[in-house]
Amino acid sequence: MGSPVYMQIFEDIKKKINNTELKPGDIVPSEAALCRDYGASRMTVRKGLALLVNEGYIYSIPGKGNFVSKPESNKYTIYFDEMENPINRVDQTRLLEVTIIMPDEKLAGELCTTRNKNVIMIRRLFYTEGVPVAYDVKYLLYHKGMPIVEKEIEHATFTEMISNNMPIFALKKEIMIYAQIPDEEIKRHLNIYHNLSLLVVEQKLFDKEEKPMGLGITYFRGDYIRLQGTNA
Amino acid sequence: MGSPVYMQIFEDIKKKINNTELKPGDIVPSEAALCRDYGASRMTVRKGLALLVNEGYIYSIPGKGNFVSKPESNKYTIYFDEMENPINRVDQTRLLEVTIIMPDEKLAGELCTTRNKNVIMIRRLFYTEGVPVAYDVKYLLYHKGMPIVEKEIEHATFTEMISNNMPIFALKKEIMIYAQIPDEEIKRHLNIYHNLSLLVVEQKLFDKEEKPMGLGITYFRGDYIRLQGTNA
DNA sequence: GAGTGGTCTAGACCACTCA
DNA sequence: GAGTGGTCTAGACCACTCT
């Protein structure tokens, strides 16, 4: 029993919640009561309770008490990287095009910019063992230090392109996942001759002021990629 | 400036990390130094640092110091619910079948069971505004209190089916997302006559001993669903 | 041995809720 | 006014790292 007191408190209460001995909405014994039960000081008890709060088991209402939470049952954590996924990895890329474009209505809206502002467009193909597995398009709002050198762009992930000149902790990212039938251009790029679905992943990156910095759309062959996640 | 001292410490250091004034791998000023800087007690300083640890900004090495982390740049949180998604919601369901089956090799493997154990199979259709949008199959390992009453199953999400008799906090869940072309049966169920992709979401639920309790596969019309997430 | 973080105490004052 | 959680202090002892 070498484990710290606050850990005991944490584990004990967690067990009671998992046993339904304490149910969502129930009040947890008060801090003073826990101090008595464990012969511990209040700071120690609070440290145990803080762990339960962090893991979403309980929440506090000042002046009232600590209460058992309703679990968030449909929350998942997934790790996504254009270049690497649970069943495969990109081992080669081909740069199709790097150009400056004027965005159309839709793209300007997505990037919260106007149609007369320059946008860098990067189109690439990703390969695994010589086979094209994904078609990738990025739109970056131009700003100083932006990589427009082919060498820097060709093998970079979206985050890498932008984090060259932007501290990465400040980035907010959104992801959108959907399924689609390939159009003729994508079929040609990905050597698709028969019926095949695409898994499309859109990534949008924001700066710390919540302004969009870029949009990336990756069209994966459906038989190439699976995204995995857990509620851990 | 009514905000607590520990919050000041937290914000200040966070800002320095986002400014790259402190870079990944750098050492954070020692707790003693921060006590001096802020005229605060050690417990207060430690509370501020604990926040940074929780949010993944720093980590501690006992006897050495606190260090700035490398950010996890490809981690996303998504909320998935069979019945409800960002662009639509299921407003009606139809139970196609509830039966007891013996699993085939593949399913037995997925559920870590043997081919002679009973498995409950539930097949349903989901509708939005009268249109079939998803075909849903669940496989549940039978155990006491399992819902086999149609009324209880028809409108339940996967988690609800199982959490009736199992404390929900103990559940571990895995999710897998991929794109697929519909087979003839699914085309018939979902009234698909032209080319259309499916977005397939597999959910696997585990008990607290990490043993699988059930597998759910939902085949969504590609034009019906988009999954969204953020790195928040 | 000096410095570091990890655990813990026994108090304190505050704002809040509830009866 | 009694009870609750939120913040904070000024100490303490420990195990650890580094030199």
Side-chain angles (χ1 to χ4, degrees), chain A residues 17-20 43 46-47 54 56-57 68-69 71-81 159 167-181 195-199 202-203 208 222 225-231, chain B residues 17-20 43 46-47 54 56-57 68-69 71-81 159 167-181 195-199 202-203 208 222 225-231:
Chain A
I17 293 174
N18 282 332
N19 287 344
T20 66
M43 286 305 252
R46 281 179 64 76
K47 183 152 185 179
N54 283 342
Y57 283 91
V68 178
S69 314
E72 287 203 84
S73 56
N74 43 18
K75 182 179 176 181
Y76 295 90
T77 300
I78 70 171
Y79 293 86
F80 171 75
D81 181 321
T159 315
I168 197 169
F169 271 110
L171 287 179
K172 189 192 151 203
K173 304 206 285 178
E174 281 180 7
I175 199 173
M176 178 120 71
I177 304 160
Y178 52 93
Q180 205 174 67
I181 291 292
N195 249 354
L196 187 67
S197 285
L198 297 177
L199 187 75
E202 289 188 16
Q203 291 173 281
K208 49 192 154 187
I225 195 173
R226 286 166 169 247
L227 301 180
Q228 288 179 336
T230 62
N231 66 335
Chain B
I17 293 174
N18 282 333
N19 287 344
T20 66
M43 284 306 249
R46 281 178 64 74
K47 182 152 185 178
N54 284 341
Y57 283 91
V68 179
S69 313
E72 287 203 85
S73 56
N74 44 15
K75 181 180 175 180
Y76 295 90
T77 301
I78 70 170
Y79 292 86
F80 171 74
D81 181 320
T159 315
I168 198 168
F169 271 109
L171 288 178
K172 188 192 150 202
K173 305 207 285 176
E174 281 180 9
I175 200 173
M176 179 121 71
I177 302 161
Y178 53 92
Q180 205 174 67
I181 291 290
N195 249 355
L196 186 68
S197 285
L198 298 177
L199 187 75
E202 289 188 16
Q203 291 174 283
K208 49 192 153 189
I225 195 172
R226 287 168 168 244
L227 302 179
Q228 288 180 336
T230 62
N231 66 336

Side-chain angles (χ1 to χ4, degrees), chain A residues 169, chain B residues 6 9-15 17 22 28 34 45-59 66-67 69:
Chain A
F169 271 110
Chain B
Y6 72 86
I9 297 173
F10 169 65
E11 300 283 3
D12 286 355
I13 297 178
K14 187 165 73 171
K15 187 174 293 178
I17 293 174
L22 286 169
V28 176
L34 292 168
V45 165
R46 281 178 64 74
K47 182 152 185 178
L49 295 175
L51 287 179
L52 291 162
V53 171
N54 284 341
E55 300 204 359
Y57 283 91
I58 66 171
Y59 60 95
N66 290 291
F67 299 87
S69 313

Side-chain angles (χ1 to χ4, degrees), chain A residues 138-158:
Chain A
K138 308 282 192 224
Y139 302 99
L140 304 178
L141 284 179
Y142 182 80
H143 59 269
K144 275 183 295 239
M146 211 72 240
I148 43 168
V149 184
E150 294 200 1
K151 254 196 341 212
E152 288 181 28
I153 303 174
E154 195 164 356
H155 305 289
T157 63
F158 202 13

Side-chain angles (χ1 to χ4, degrees), chain B residues 16-140:
Chain B
K16 283 183 185 165
I17 293 174
N18 282 333
N19 287 344
T20 66
E21 200 172 322
L22 286 169
K23 286 179 285 296
D26 284 359
I27 191 164
V28 176
S30 76
E31 297 178 358
L34 292 168
C35 290
R36 284 194 300 275
D37 294 352
Y38 287 89
S41 79
R42 191 157 161 237
M43 284 306 249
T44 302
V45 165
R46 281 178 64 74
K47 182 152 185 178
L49 295 175
L51 287 179
L52 291 162
V53 171
N54 284 341
E55 300 204 359
Y57 283 91
I58 66 171
Y59 60 95
S60 287
I61 302 182
K64 297 183 78 172
N66 290 291
F67 299 87
V68 179
S69 313
K70 284 188 245 314
E72 287 203 85
S73 56
N74 44 15
K75 181 180 175 180
Y76 295 90
T77 301
I78 70 170
Y79 292 86
F80 171 74
D81 181 320
E82 300 111 288
M83 302 289 190
E84 201 140 358
N85 70 70
I87 57 172
N88 258 313
R89 66 185 300 275
V90 169
D91 53 26
Q92 187 193 340
T93 63
R94 186 155 74 88
L95 191 57
L96 299 173
E97 186 186 17
V98 187
T99 42
I100 306 285
I101 61 165
M102 301 296 223
D104 62 17
E105 198 88 31
K106 183 165 170 298
L107 181 60
E110 288 268 19
L111 295 175
C112 297
T113 186
T114 52
R115 294 192 53 188
N116 57 3
K117 284 284 177 61
N118 286 337
V119 171
I120 303 175
M121 177 174 78
I122 300 166
R123 299 194 301 123
R124 294 183 296 177
L125 281 178
F126 295 160
Y127 294 82
T128 294
E129 293 172 4
V131 180
V133 293
Y135 171 71
D136 181 76
V137 189
K138 308 282 192 225
Y139 302 98
L140 305 179

Side-chain angles (χ1 to χ4, degrees), chain A:
Chain A
M1 310 306 273
S3 77
V5 179
Y6 73 85
M7 194 57 81
Q8 294 281 345
I9 297 173
F10 168 65
E11 300 282 3
D12 286 354
I13 297 178
K14 188 164 75 171
K15 187 174 295 179
K16 283 182 185 166
I17 293 174
N18 282 332
N19 287 344
T20 66
E21 201 173 323
L22 286 169
K23 286 179 285 293
D26 284 359
I27 189 164
V28 176
S30 76
E31 296 178 358
L34 291 168
C35 289
R36 284 195 299 277
D37 294 352
Y38 287 89
S41 79
R42 189 153 163 241
M43 286 305 252
T44 301
V45 166
R46 281 179 64 76
K47 183 152 185 179
L49 295 175
L51 288 180
L52 291 163
V53 171
N54 283 342
E55 300 205 0
Y57 283 91
I58 67 171
Y59 61 96
S60 287
I61 302 182
K64 296 184 77 173
N66 290 291
F67 299 87
V68 178
S69 314
K70 283 188 244 314
E72 287 203 84
S73 56
N74 43 18
K75 182 179 176 181
Y76 295 90
T77 300
I78 70 171
Y79 293 86
F80 171 75
D81 181 321
E82 302 110 287
M83 302 289 191
E84 200 141 0
N85 70 69
I87 57 172
N88 258 312
R89 67 184 299 274
V90 169
D91 53 25
Q92 187 192 340
T93 62
R94 186 156 73 88
L95 191 58
L96 299 173
E97 186 186 16
V98 186
T99 43
I100 306 284
I101 61 165
M102 301 295 221
D104 62 17
E105 199 87 29
K106 183 166 171 298
L107 182 60
E110 288 266 19
L111 294 174
C112 297
T113 186
T114 51
R115 296 192 52 188
N116 57 3
K117 285 283 178 59
N118 287 338
V119 171
I120 304 175
M121 177 174 76
I122 301 165
R123 298 193 304 123
R124 295 182 296 178
L125 282 178
F126 296 159
Y127 294 82
T128 293
E129 293 173 5
V131 180
V133 294
Y135 171 71
D136 181 76
V137 188
K138 308 282 192 224
Y139 302 99
L140 304 178
L141 284 179
Y142 182 80
H143 59 269
K144 275 183 295 239
M146 211 72 240
I148 43 168
V149 184
E150 294 200 1
K151 254 196 341 212
E152 288 181 28
I153 303 174
E154 195 164 356
H155 305 289
T157 63
F158 202 13
T159 315
E160 286 164 356
M161 288 182 190
I162 286 192
S163 65
N164 275 347
N165 57 313
M166 171 65 69
I168 197 169
F169 271 110
L171 287 179
K172 189 192 151 203
K173 304 206 285 178
E174 281 180 7
I175 199 173
M176 178 120 71
I177 304 160
Y178 52 93
Q180 205 174 67
I181 291 292
D183 63 21
E184 289 308 316
E185 187 191 2
I186 293 179
K187 277 188 171 178
R188 206 172 56 243
H189 284 306
L190 298 182
N191 294 347
I192 296 173
Y193 305 114
H194 55 295
N195 249 354
L196 187 67
S197 285
L198 297 177
L199 187 75
V200 187
V201 181
E202 289 188 16
Q203 291 173 281
K204 208 189 244 184
L205 272 68
F206 301 81
D207 64 17
K208 49 192 154 187
E209 280 86 31
E210 303 266 320
K211 288 192 355 198
M213 303 179 65
L215 173 69
I217 309 175
T218 312
Y219 302 85
F220 293 97
R221 286 179 63 112
D223 53 3
Y224 165 76
I225 195 173
R226 286 166 169 247
L227 301 180
Q228 288 179 336
T230 62
N231 66 335

